[in-house]
Amino acid sequence: MADLWQEAMDHAVAVARKAGEIVRHAVHNDMKVLCKSSSVDLVTKTDQKVEQLIIDSVKEKFPKHGFIGEESVAAGEPCVLSDNPTWIVDPVDGTTNFVHGAVFVLLFQLEFGVVYSCIEDKMYTARRGKGAFCNGDPLQVSDQKEINQSIIATEFGSNRDPEVVDVIFSNMRKILCLPVHGIRGAGSAAINMCMVASGCVEAYYEIGIHCWDIAAAAVIVEEAGGVLMDFEGGPMDLMSRRIIAANNKTIAERIVNEIKAYPAIRDDAPL
Ligand code: IPD
């Protein structure tokens, strides 16, 4: 019997490679940078072109599948999961890195995750119940249980409201003073999560991200043996704009005890 999920995942890998070519080409040419919600929330013509490429190619092959795409939502499309299989697509995660010279592409379908770090040519893939891989090699989270021997990844995001910035700094201060070995940030939620899956860092947390920043890598973290948690300790809610991804429950709960969230609008809030 045909394995439709495998077919969809193989298609995602193929289209990610094509998207990677476009992104790599754009890095070496002029790129037109536009602003979205603020002067630090960036989008490029490449984000839009790559998202269209992905949507067109998936629609042709799987006409009944739904989409949530970062740039389509920015253009007014609803951000809701339909009853049909839904692809959650971030054409360039780490747009600010891209504008400044380093790039990542990611895409996703709820049953599997594909994150392509195209400059490094690292293809991260995972399918529910079948493990996580980078360029075909299995991924496994770190077995560290002591927070003070851990490295934590986080980001500042693009919200520059002084109260929000205060919460971000206060959270980082608490984590640093545990103390932890260090705090890192790759400039891409997806890559931070792939670092958790690879065992390079023990955990990643962020408030203000969107479902398309984390959806693909969420499957990759879980399939590498990691856990996803909400800031209040329950299961991660894809639409809640906050996430803790960790190597194990002990580290995730330790982070829950230290950090607090700020009110964020849900991704699926009515327009
Ligand atoms: C951003 C990146 C960044 C994170 C932001 C995201 P984008 O995604 O993942 O690391 O801090 O919160 O919005 O806008 O480059 O797709």
Side-chain angles (χ1 to χ4, degrees):
M1 206 173 76
D3 183 343
L4 292 179
W5 288 128
Q6 193 56 46
E7 215 180 294
M9 182 162 157
D10 291 345
H11 188 74
V13 170
V15 78
R17 286 204 193 283
K18 262 194 214 156
E21 275 167 34
I22 297 177
V23 171
R24 277 192 295 264
H25 176 80
V27 172
H28 303 295
N29 293 277
D30 280 348
M31 69 176 91
K32 179 142 180 60
V33 184
L34 311 165
C35 296
K36 287 200 283 192
S37 60
S38 75
S39 64
V40 295
D41 186 10
L42 308 179
V43 61
T44 68
K45 286 281 176 205
T46 308
D47 296 56
Q48 293 162 340
K49 187 174 168 186
V50 168
E51 182 162 316
Q52 204 51 55
L53 165 93
I54 296 167
I55 292 180
D56 289 349
S57 88
V58 175
K59 266 191 183 151
E60 199 184 327
K61 198 161 170 61
F62 306 102
K64 292 198 175 137
H65 289 192
F67 288 93
I68 294 175
E70 175 171 17
E71 306 318 328
S72 314
V73 172
E77 295 280 325
C79 184
V80 283
L81 292 167
S82 71
D83 292 338
N84 290 327
T86 303
W87 295 63
I88 303 182
V89 176
D90 189 342
V92 179
D93 186 50
T95 304
T96 309
N97 279 2
F98 176 42
V99 169
H100 292 276
V103 189
F104 311 104
V105 174
L106 102 133
L107 51 144
F108 169 78
Q109 209 286 342
L110 285 170
E111 279 296 311
F112 58 81
V114 173
V115 173
Y116 184 35
S117 178
C118 65
I119 296 295
E120 306 173 290
D121 194 21
K122 286 187 177 172
M123 183 70 77
Y124 296 91
T125 55
R127 194 177 153 194
R128 287 246 174 260
K130 297 198 184 273
F133 301 87
C134 178
N135 291 346
D137 295 327
L139 296 176
Q140 179 64 47
V141 294
S142 135
D143 60 7
Q144 184 56 255
K145 288 215 168 93
E146 301 295 335
I147 193 87
N148 59 13
Q149 292 185 38
S150 299
I151 293 185
I152 309 300
T154 191
E155 299 284 339
F156 296 100
S158 57
N159 193 328
R160 296 293 179 267
D161 176 328
E163 277 179 35
V164 168
V165 172
D166 281 348
V167 174
I168 291 170
F169 274 105
S170 145
N171 285 342
M172 278 195 187
R173 186 176 188 286
K174 285 186 189 148
I175 298 288
L176 264 180
C177 292
L178 285 171
V180 293
H181 275 186
I183 292 191
R184 303 281 184 267
S188 154
I191 295 298
N192 287 323
M193 291 170 75
C194 288
M195 280 164 33
V196 174
S198 310
C200 313
V201 304
E202 273 64 36
Y204 156 72
Y205 72 88
E206 188 173 346
I207 324 169
I209 38 86
H210 295 275
C211 58
W212 47 80
D213 297 316
I214 57 172
V219 186
I220 295 171
V221 168
E222 287 189 319
E223 285 300 316
V227 298
L228 305 170
M229 210 176 261
D230 180 62
F231 272 43
E232 281 162 16
M236 189 253 330
D237 171 351
L238 191 60
M239 296 292 169
S240 70
R241 303 200 55 191
R242 56 198 203 189
I243 188 171
I244 298 169
N247 60 335
N248 56 47
K249 208 165 161 243
T250 312
I251 296 287
E253 282 174 347
R254 196 71 183 79
I255 293 174
V256 168
N257 289 340
E258 299 300 326
I259 56 177
K260 66 172 192 177
Y262 55 81
I265 305 168
R266 291 180 61 82
D267 272 332
D268 55 0
L271 298 173

